Structure formats: C-alpha cells, structure tokens
Amino acid sequence: MLDLIIKGGVVVTATDMFPCDVGVKDGKIVEMGMNLDMDAKEVVDATGKLVLPGALDVHTHLAMPFGGTISADSYLSGTRAAACGGVTTIFDYPVQRKGGTIMDLVNSKKAILEKEACVDWASHCIITDFNDGQILEEMEEAVKEGITSYKCFMVYKKAGMMVDDGMFATLLLRAKELGALVNVHAENSDMIDYFEAKFKKEGNLSPWYHYLARQEFVEAEADRRALHWCKHLDAPLYIVHMADKEGLEACIEGKKEGVPIYVETCPQYLEFTCEVYKREDGRNFVCSPPIKGEESRQALWEAIKKNQIDVVATDHCPFQSYEKDWGIDDFTKIPNGCAGLENMYPYMLDAANSGKITFSQAVALCSTNPARIFGCEKKGGVRVGNDADIVIYDRDKDFTISVNNMHSDYDHTIWEGKKLHGYPVKTFLRGQLVYDNGDFVGKPGMGRFVKRVPRS
C-alpha cells in the first residue's frame, strides 16, 4: 500500500509537462503513471492543477548576525515560510571566522536546525580566513560530510570578511581538486569604500547613495575579475545574486567559450529598479548588491528567457523596520537585506502563468538546476526515486502578497501589494503535507540535513 497518491494533475519537469499520477511511499516517489490503480492511505485530487518539484532556495541568511543585529527570520520561521512558498530545501550560509573550523561551525548550526527546520536544509560555508592552511586541509573532510560548496566575499573588507585575489584563487583550486564549488559575492570593495567616504563627506546619505556607491560598474568589474580567474584556472565558479547587465553579458560570453561559470539572480532584481531608493521607504530595499537600473533588469529577464541564467534564489536576509530605520539619515547604517524566501517560487511561476517564461523554465531555475549544480541527488524533480518534495499549484488562484499573509517573523516586506495569478495550494516534504492552502501544517524538526555529493 502506498502512503499517498496525487491524482489527476499535470506534472511539470525542467523539460516537459504531462498528465500523470504520482505515488509516494516512505518519503519517496515510487510510482508514476496515468490512472494509478493502487491502494493508498491518502489520495489527493490535483485535477486541473500542476504538480511541481519543491523549490530549492540555495541562498538564504537565516539567524545571521549582520549590521549590528541578526536577520529577522530564525531557522524555524524562515523554513516555515519556505514551506508555505513551495520551497522544500533551503541552503544556509554560516560564516567561518579566524580560528573557527568548517565542521564545528556547520555542526553548531545543525544542532539548531535539527530542532527548528520545517524543510530540508544544506549548508554552504563562507570562508573568511584559512587559519594558516588548516581550512584548506579540513575542506577534504567537510566535502566527505556533504559540505560541497564554499563562499567568499570580494567585499566587506572592514568587517573582516573579504578575501583577496590570492585567497580567492587558492580556494578555487582547492575546491576544484575536491569536487567542490566556490560561490562568490562579486563587487569591488575599494570602489565602494571610496564612494561611501565621498558621499559621507558631501552629506549625501539617503538610500539613493547606497545605489550610487555600488552601481553597475562597481559590480561588473568584480564579475569580470571573478570570471577571469574561473576561466584561466579552469575551476568552476558560481556567481551569486547577479544584478548588472555588463557582468551578466561577460558571463554569458564565458559560457559560450566553455568557461565553467554558473549565474544566479534574485527576484528583487527582476521586479524592481534602483528608482526604489528614491522612495520614502527606500531604506527597506537596501541590499547588496543594490537593485540596478531598468537596462539591467531587462537584460536579466532576456537571459532567463534564453536559459543563460542558471538559478533564481533569494538572498533572503530580512530585518525589522526599526532596524532599517537606523539608517534613516545615513545609508551606511542600514542593515543590508530583503525578504523573498516565501515569494520566489510563486513569483517565477506567476511569470510562467503569464507567458513570460515557460513553467518548465521556472522549475529548472528554482528546482532542477540548483539541485544538479549543488549535488542534491534526490531533489529537483518529480521522478521515481526522488524525495517526494512536491508542490501542487493552482493556475487560477489569485493572491496578493502582504506582510499579513506571510509566515516569516519580519514586520514589512518589499513585496507588499504584489498581485500574483496562480499560487501554490499544497506543499509536501518527503510525502508529508507541510502547507495547505494558506496554512502551515508541518512542525519544527521535520527538516533533514541534505548530504550532497561532490562534483565528478
């Protein structure tokens, strides 16, 4: 007897859509076919609806110390919101500091997540110091434990988080050797410091100057530099939160040349432009890299339509209104980050529902590609043998985003008032219902650590 059959829906993969029933047992998809005639403990009618793989948000910052505070979503509230937005796996970014080890850091987070996580989870690890080479040695053990991706910052020098080009190249080569993948936040730190000092001296401190201090060319130079090392070291690289046209175009050309480069962007860069920083609530949109101009926004959408961007993720790092208000008279004091975890999949599926992209492209960007790139073998697709991470999507359901109907712990959202046509109505995590038509019905501790496989 099966545990669950989802009947009558249209299954969406990264390449196709087809009517199909889905049978689940012991958390896995075990049967797929038309009109499955099998006994099951539960049968869910998905007639007229789409049956999608759960999304993987491979870029979140939950319970993260930053800017003098901690991001508003705990592991519990953040993963609860994830489930309600059709995200069944999140990736966290714990920060390794001088003297700290990878496994001690990851295990300390694991102890919390095992109690709080409402969806499955994995860890990238941000490297800020090699500890006289100990981190490079420890990476081998960490990869065996399923920690197969590492991040470095080309910014945040004053915060002690930035790596120089030598550290960056060393990390690229070590990761290549171990079958791991380096993620990079690409902006030019020296230019940002120069512009911030200049604007402060001039008394130009509104959120608009956050954008001007980190405008397109500031990001693009670092994108090109990161691409340069990736190309000439022949080491795979994943650029997070791409926001500018020039850097994007360089990466697209690199892809055409066979450079092992992956590109991620985020919904905020697809929806808004830098004009938001002129609004009265502009500080709420402060994130890094900042939202760019219309030319970059259009370029990102064109690249998505042409399958030249690999992943859409969120960089979810929300803060409370009163914390954003710390920078009401000085943009450098605004904690950087916005909400998006519960909105990503519905937003991209709305784009598919309106014909801007296909549903298969939305699934590829939010589920199949991130699972493949980051070694999640049993995630990213509705197929036999995979975890039964499944979203049922109603193409006819209208939904307006508001802080009042989200499931996070923040008190505002940049997505307030955004209207979507089509919305998830059920989310299953390994065959267990965790979201049901507006309500979270799972429980903390349901999530499991995803042990990832290294790159071949």
Side-chain angles (χ1 to χ4, degrees), residues 56-62 75 79 87 89-94 113 119-125 146 148-149 183 314 316 341 370-371 373-376 379 450 452:
L56 292 81
D57 188 345
V58 295
H59 193 156
T60 73
H61 299 283
L62 303 178
Y75 289 115
T79 56
V87 174
T89 304
I90 65 103
F91 278 58
D92 190 39
Y93 272 107
L113 280 153
V119 299
D120 288 352
W121 54 278
S123 291
H124 307 293
C125 185
T148 62
S149 48
N183 305 354
T314 63
H316 180 84
L341 183 46
I373 291 167
F374 289 107
C376 303
K379 306 290 187 183
V450 179
R452 296 176 288 132

Side-chain angles (χ1 to χ4, degrees), residues 77-309:
S77 65
T79 56
R80 179 181 65 210
C84 297
V87 174
T88 49
T89 304
I90 65 103
F91 278 58
D92 190 39
Y93 272 107
V95 183
Q96 174 267 344
R97 297 284 190 172
K98 185 174 180 61
T101 71
I102 296 168
M103 293 312 302
D104 284 350
L105 174 63
V106 171
N107 288 333
S108 69
K109 299 293 185 181
K110 187 182 290 189
I112 302 171
L113 280 153
E114 286 174 345
K115 295 178 182 178
E116 296 189 3
C118 304
V119 299
D120 288 352
W121 54 278
S123 291
H124 307 293
C125 185
I126 298 172
I127 304 298
T128 66
D129 191 277
F130 286 163
N131 291 344
D132 296 323
Q134 292 179 8
I135 292 297
L136 297 172
E137 294 179 11
E138 190 195 10
M139 282 175 65
E140 183 171 6
E141 174 196 353
V143 168
K144 290 177 181 177
E145 293 298 318
I147 314 300
T148 62
S149 48
Y150 300 87
K151 182 180 181 180
C152 56
F153 286 106
M154 299 170 79
V155 289
Y156 304 132
K157 183 189 296 185
K158 294 176 183 176
M161 297 171 72
M162 189 184 100
V163 301
D164 58 29
D165 283 358
M167 289 180 68
F168 180 32
T170 301
L171 189 58
L172 277 171
L173 290 170
R174 180 58 169 157
K176 176 185 176 181
E177 181 181 16
L178 296 172
L181 181 63
V182 173
N183 305 354
V184 66
H185 176 140
E187 292 181 285
N188 187 301
S189 187
D190 289 334
M191 290 304 297
I192 293 167
D193 289 347
Y194 165 77
F195 281 120
E196 286 188 351
K198 176 179 184 291
F199 295 147
K200 289 186 88 167
K201 185 177 181 180
E202 294 169 347
N204 293 318
L205 296 170
S206 75
W208 174 244
Y209 291 90
H210 171 73
Y211 160 67
L212 289 183
R214 312 174 85 122
Q215 57 188 290
E216 282 80 351
F217 67 86
V218 175
E219 181 181 349
E221 185 278 334
D223 290 329
R224 287 184 172 276
R225 184 154 36 103
L227 176 67
H228 178 85
W229 296 124
C230 168
K231 176 180 178 178
H232 291 286
L233 297 175
D234 191 28
L237 179 65
Y238 180 96
I239 297 187
V240 301
H241 48 46
M242 175 67 71
D244 72 286
K245 179 183 179 183
E246 182 185 339
L248 172 65
E249 289 176 343
C251 289
I252 291 170
E253 286 305 307
K255 283 174 173 285
K256 291 176 181 177
E257 296 172 8
V259 177
I261 188 87
Y262 300 99
V263 178
E264 167 197 290
T265 194
C266 307
Q268 58 267 32
Y269 305 125
L270 299 172
E271 177 68 11
F272 304 105
T273 74
C274 55
E275 294 298 311
V276 295
Y277 297 117
K278 296 178 179 177
R279 288 170 36 168
E280 186 176 349
D281 64 346
R283 59 193 173 281
N284 291 338
F285 292 83
V286 166
C287 56
S288 294
I291 297 162
K292 303 297 199 301
E294 177 66 10
E295 188 177 14
S296 288
R297 191 183 78 88
Q298 292 290 349
L300 291 166
W301 270 118
E302 285 304 307
I304 280 178
K305 292 174 185 177
K306 295 175 181 177
N307 302 315
Q308 294 167 330
I309 286 176

Side-chain angles (χ1 to χ4, degrees), residues 366-380:
C366 298
S367 183
T368 307
N369 290 354
R372 172 181 53 83
I373 291 167
F374 289 107
C376 303
E377 287 189 311
K378 301 301 181 183
K379 306 290 187 183

